[in-house]
Amino acid sequence: MAVPKMENRQPWQVWFRKNEKLAVIIVSAALIALAWLVGRYSPVASTVLMITAALVSGYRIALTAWFALRARIISIQLLVAIAAIGGILIGNQWEAAAVTFLFAFGSYLEARTIGKTREAIQQLLDLAPATAQVLRDGSEVTVAADEVIQGETVIVRSGGKIPVDGIIRKGDASVNQAAITGESVPLELEPESQVFSGSLVESGYIEIEAQRVGENTTFARILHMVEEAQERKAPAQKFIEGFARWYTPSIIALAIFVGLLTRNVHIALTLLVIGCPGALVISTPISMVAGIGNAAKNGVLVKGGEYLEKAGKITLVAFDKTGTLTMGRPQVTAVVSFSGSEEDVLKLAAAVEKGSEHHIGRAIVTGAAGRNVANADEVKVFTSGGISGRVGQKLVLIGNRRLLEQHDISVSQAAMDWMETREHLGETPVLVAADQQVIGSISIADTIRPEAWGAIKALQAAKKRVVMLTGDNPRTAKAIADQLGLNEYRAQLMPEDKVEAIRSFRSEGHVVAMVGDGINDTPALAEADLGIAMGAAGTDAAIETADLTLMSDNLDKVTYALRLGRATLVNIRQNVAFAVAVVFLLVVGVLGQKVFLATGMLAHEASVMLVILNAMRLRSWR
Amino acid sequence: MTTKTKVTAKLEQLSCPDCANMIARVVAKIKGVEEAEVRYTTSKLIVTYDTVVTSWDSIAQSVAKLGYKILSKTTGS
């Protein structure tokens, strides 16, 4: 028979082709219902209807079983088919129909629900635009998003989605980067700002220089990583699969043994039905998939389910200070003058620091921005810290007390007192001298992230030990720790000292999470049980090293990730405990002749479904 | 020139890890298939085969015979 052409097909034919499995289930359910109804009047008709129902829902199962068997593989479908055929042969048509129907219906529902669990990722995928507006030969053309050439100018208007990673060259816009960072608050972006594919321009107009397109965008790689993470098998899962590999043949052997021994075919067939510990094999991966999906939606990339499990077991959280607990952008916090105006102190210092690469120098230059700053010459940088230069007629020297004293400049008590006060606040003051006289001092500090207090409180409330690790001097470290309400900190640490610190925490029996920016903390991140890199949108190295990556630099995501880990862990434990109980009860129930074909299959499918539904709660967990 | 090729195909959502294992094992037994893996959570079939001995069509046919739909396919290195 020729297959009708598409246009000749009836609507129901099209529907049937698409929903074959559902159609089979509906027809077989209807047949079973009908068989029950006519059973009172005609047992023969009822039997025929039941067998038909078993054939309808069992046909596909038997085919699968057959093709697998031809490849010498004993499939679950084979066990179900044998049970159904056996059921009919021993005159138990109702049970045969129920077994095949429940198996088909259960598989259908389970696949649908698992598909829903993965929807979080699908929603992300939908955020990537398929086309881009680019400028070619002076005119605007529409091309596929992955055909944009590196360096081309991409135009995005209000309401449009950004199709590439790049730098804004012209215009400004309010951009929502929720797809990347999980933060739904839009950012006001100007020229020179970095933008990511998958972000939404809520209002404004921008021209972007494309840097990374198609598969290379941050967004595409996030999706790729999430998929890989979901595919990765956690150790617990491997263990369970090992158990299942052993369990199924054992049950088959038991079925044959019991059948031969007791001549009770019904029990033997029922054993076949429960031969697959479905709820158990699915218990771990399904919770992981849901948990990883939830994390991705919130801007947290998890390398694999095992790391989510680990996040749930953390007892100690170590934070790097600079760039993690603080913004990593030092700013001028106070200026004092001992002769002349504070304005002059800042301007003179900024003149000398203009070309400085040092973070203190840059902070001073930024602090003097908008003021009329002169140019300096004869600029000299001291390797021990400090800088000098000539501004007009004045020889200006900036540095600490030791440097000034080396240059025979005496530092007054007033200046020393002022500096000490600032240091106690966790700031770094530098002295400014002009023509061998201290004229003032500028204090620089890195600002603590506004959400740091809340995040640390939440961790402490959750009974986690929180430690700050920093390369800063003990005084600054103590000041920051005090401000944050942290009673534990380690100061003056070189990168290898941080590794050593983490190692010692672990040897005390702690499960350690290390939170850093993923650039200079890489060894410590690797040493920790769980390495968490933050603010990683755009930095590949961090994503590579870290087990958990926060795409935004919001510290609240650390507590969120650990709580999600905990929730996932609890969810997995619930599932495993439930599934083990089901396996046990089913075996006992079958051998004790309390559970038969239909009830066995119902319990099996219902338990699988319950495990999936329980895992799905993680999808909307917050 | 090598005649080996690797294909990643997206299957309809699988309902259980056993189905995934079964499909992988059936595909792996096709002559010319070097390696076959089915990832249950993402319902992906990743298969490496020798194009001289077998073809994608016969692999796809085996999967269809087992009752699973193939939604999309990409050929990779």
Side-chain angles (χ1 to χ4, degrees):
Chain A
M1 193 187 76
V3 179
K5 284 215 177 79
M6 206 64 180
E7 58 266 31
N8 296 337
R9 277 190 201 151
Q10 298 292 321
W12 70 267
Q13 283 175 310
V14 176
W15 183 89
F16 183 82
R17 288 211 144 240
K18 256 172 98 180
N19 300 284
E20 193 185 324
K21 285 183 176 151
L22 184 61
V24 162
I25 292 158
I26 293 171
V27 170
S28 120
L31 286 170
I32 292 173
L34 203 61
W36 276 112
L37 285 175
V38 303
R40 201 179 290 175
Y41 314 103
S42 163
V44 178
S46 173
T47 302
V48 171
L49 282 169
M50 279 295 185
I51 293 175
T52 315
L55 288 176
V56 168
S57 54
Y59 171 72
R60 185 64 258 179
I61 300 168
L63 268 187
T64 303
W66 170 244
F67 285 117
L69 191 64
R70 279 215 325 206
R72 299 214 183 106
I73 291 159
I74 295 178
S75 57
I76 301 306
Q77 283 82 355
L78 182 64
L79 303 189
V80 174
I82 292 174
I85 294 168
I88 293 173
L89 291 181
I90 62 169
N92 225 322
Q93 301 80 13
W94 143 243
E95 294 219 83
V99 161
T100 49
F101 167 74
L102 285 170
F103 186 80
F105 186 45
S107 306
Y108 175 78
L109 269 190
E110 287 148 22
R112 290 277 305 222
T113 320
I114 296 164
K116 280 241 160 57
T117 313
R118 285 178 30 78
E119 240 167 44
I121 320 304
Q122 197 54 47
Q123 283 166 2
L124 282 180
L125 202 65
D126 294 340
L127 288 167
T131 59
Q133 300 292 117
V134 296
L135 274 183
R136 277 186 191 167
D137 303 326
S139 60
E140 203 179 317
V141 289
T142 305
V143 299
D146 52 6
E147 278 167 17
V148 175
I149 300 158
Q150 214 179 28
E152 264 186 326
T153 303
V154 177
I155 294 170
V156 188
R157 296 189 169 79
S158 188
K161 285 171 188 159
I162 298 176
V164 295
D165 283 6
I167 303 268
I168 299 181
R169 289 295 177 217
K170 221 168 164 184
D172 42 60
S174 178
V175 178
N176 188 330
Q177 301 190 328
I180 308 286
T181 61
E183 304 279 350
S184 51
V185 183
L187 300 173
E188 301 302 323
L189 296 182
E190 295 171 337
E192 303 311 309
S193 304
Q194 169 94 44
V195 289
F196 300 104
S197 161
S199 316
L200 177 74
V201 173
E202 294 197 341
S203 61
Y205 167 95
I206 45 175
E207 292 183 5
I208 304 161
E209 182 188 327
Q211 289 179 324
R212 291 198 287 210
V213 302
E215 287 295 300
N216 295 321
T217 62
T218 303
F219 187 69
R221 281 177 314 168
I222 289 176
L223 288 176
H224 187 70
M225 264 193 60
V226 172
E227 279 233 332
E228 276 191 347
Q230 292 188 327
E231 285 167 353
R232 220 162 130 151
K233 285 183 185 173
Q237 195 178 338
K238 286 187 192 142
F239 172 77
I240 289 171
E241 283 182 8
F243 170 79
R245 225 163 299 181
W246 165 89
Y247 177 83
T248 306
S250 308
I251 287 287
I252 297 172
L254 185 67
I256 295 169
F257 179 74
V258 167
L260 290 177
L261 198 74
T262 64
R263 305 270 158 198
N264 190 333
V265 181
H266 204 177
I267 296 186
L269 292 177
T270 311
L271 278 172
L272 292 183
V273 162
I274 62 159
C276 168
L280 191 60
V281 287
I282 208 171
S283 58
T284 310
I286 196 71
S287 302
M288 297 284 191
V289 166
I292 292 170
N294 186 315
K297 222 167 48 182
N298 285 287
V300 177
L301 286 188
V302 186
K303 272 252 174 83
E306 56 191 293
Y307 300 109
L308 205 52
E309 249 185 295
K310 256 188 198 151
K313 292 178 180 162
I314 294 300
T315 59
L316 185 148
V317 184
F319 283 99
D320 171 51
K321 187 189 75 93
T322 310
T324 305
L325 287 173
T326 67
M327 300 280 212
R329 277 187 308 244
Q331 289 172 322
V332 172
T333 50
V335 184
V336 71
S337 141
F338 305 115
S339 70
S341 71
E342 283 155 19
E343 181 88 8
D344 286 339
V345 173
L346 191 59
K347 273 161 68 177
L348 275 178
V352 179
E353 297 277 16
K354 237 178 199 171
S356 173
E357 290 292 317
H358 195 266
H359 66 272
I360 288 184
R362 284 207 301 261
I364 292 175
V365 174
T366 314
R371 292 177 175 83
N372 185 18
V373 175
N375 286 319
D377 43 31
E378 295 170 36
V379 174
K380 189 176 157 201
V381 178
F382 300 97
T383 47
S384 55
I387 192 167
S388 73
R390 188 171 292 282
V391 184
Q393 294 305 309
K394 287 194 176 107
L395 183 65
V396 180
L397 178 66
I398 304 167
N400 58 17
R401 185 180 151 194
R402 209 177 51 212
L403 181 81
L404 264 65
E405 283 173 354
Q406 278 167 10
H407 286 79
D408 298 321
I409 304 170
S410 66
V411 180
S412 70
Q413 190 59 43
M416 305 241 289
D417 288 348
W418 190 82
M419 286 175 74
E420 208 180 308
T421 325
R422 301 316 299 189
E423 279 176 356
H424 276 297
L425 291 171
E427 300 181 353
T428 309
V430 291
L431 290 161
V432 183
D435 295 336
Q436 299 298 102
Q437 283 282 324
V438 174
I439 58 162
S441 175
I442 300 173
S443 193
I444 285 119
D446 194 358
T447 33
I448 295 175
R449 289 186 192 279
E451 75 278 9
W453 282 272
I456 285 171
K457 266 220 183 74
L459 289 174
Q460 286 169 337
K463 299 266 180 293
K464 313 251 186 263
R465 197 169 142 192
V466 184
V467 186
M468 180 178 87
L469 305 179
T470 177
D472 264 353
N473 66 65
R475 214 173 345 198
T476 310
K478 182 177 188 321
I480 300 272
D482 284 350
Q483 283 183 50
L484 283 168
L486 274 178
N487 40 25
E488 246 189 296
Y489 63 88
R490 305 273 164 100
Q492 249 157 7
L493 301 181
M494 300 301 286
E496 60 269 25
D497 300 329
K498 290 185 186 174
V499 172
E500 195 44 55
I502 303 266
R503 203 171 285 154
S504 74
F505 295 142
R506 293 188 66 192
S507 67
E508 287 168 35
H510 277 292
V511 185
V512 181
M514 168 78 201
V515 189
D517 57 16
I519 296 162
N520 41 34
D521 310 318
T522 318
L525 289 184
E527 179 65 27
D529 293 285
L530 186 72
I532 305 179
M534 60 185 286
T539 50
D540 301 351
I543 300 180
E544 289 292 316
T545 341
D547 305 318
L548 231 84
T549 309
L550 315 181
M551 299 311 289
S552 69
D553 43 18
N554 183 346
L555 279 173
D556 287 333
K557 298 286 184 196
V558 175
T559 48
Y560 155 81
L562 298 191
R563 285 193 305 120
L564 176 68
R566 185 79 214 151
T568 309
L569 197 61
V570 168
N571 197 281
I572 290 171
R573 284 180 184 161
Q574 289 166 345
N575 279 351
V576 171
F578 172 72
V580 167
V582 166
V583 165
F584 179 74
L585 286 176
L586 277 179
V587 173
V588 170
V590 172
L591 293 178
Q593 305 217 34
K594 296 281 181 223
V595 175
F596 294 104
L597 285 173
T599 36
M601 186 53 103
L602 182 65
H604 174 262
E605 293 298 329
S607 65
V608 172
M609 204 58 210
L610 274 175
V611 162
I612 297 175
L613 288 175
N614 187 42
M616 269 189 90
R617 293 188 306 126
L618 281 176
R619 206 170 60 117
S620 50
W621 180 91
R622 46 177 73 235
Chain B
M1 203 188 88
T2 175
T3 52
K4 259 186 257 169
T5 182
K6 184 174 173 181
V7 168
T8 302
K10 188 117 180 79
L11 308 180
E12 64 177 304
Q13 178 66 52
L14 304 173
S15 62
C16 66
D18 295 284
C19 312
N21 287 340
M22 176 193 64
I23 299 168
R25 287 169 63 195
V26 169
V27 171
K29 290 207 174 156
I30 297 171
K31 218 177 157 209
V33 171
E34 258 176 34
E35 218 182 330
E37 189 192 350
V38 176
R39 295 183 179 167
Y40 153 65
T41 45
T42 46
S43 296
K44 264 195 258 170
L45 164 70
I46 300 160
V47 56
T48 312
Y49 61 93
D50 190 332
T51 47
V52 174
V53 186
T54 189
S55 66
W56 170 249
D57 282 346
S58 56
I59 293 168
Q61 211 178 16
S62 295
V63 175
K65 273 185 182 167
L66 289 172
Y68 296 91
K69 280 187 194 134
I70 294 169
L71 304 180
S72 64
K73 127 185 202 243
T74 48
T75 309
S77 55

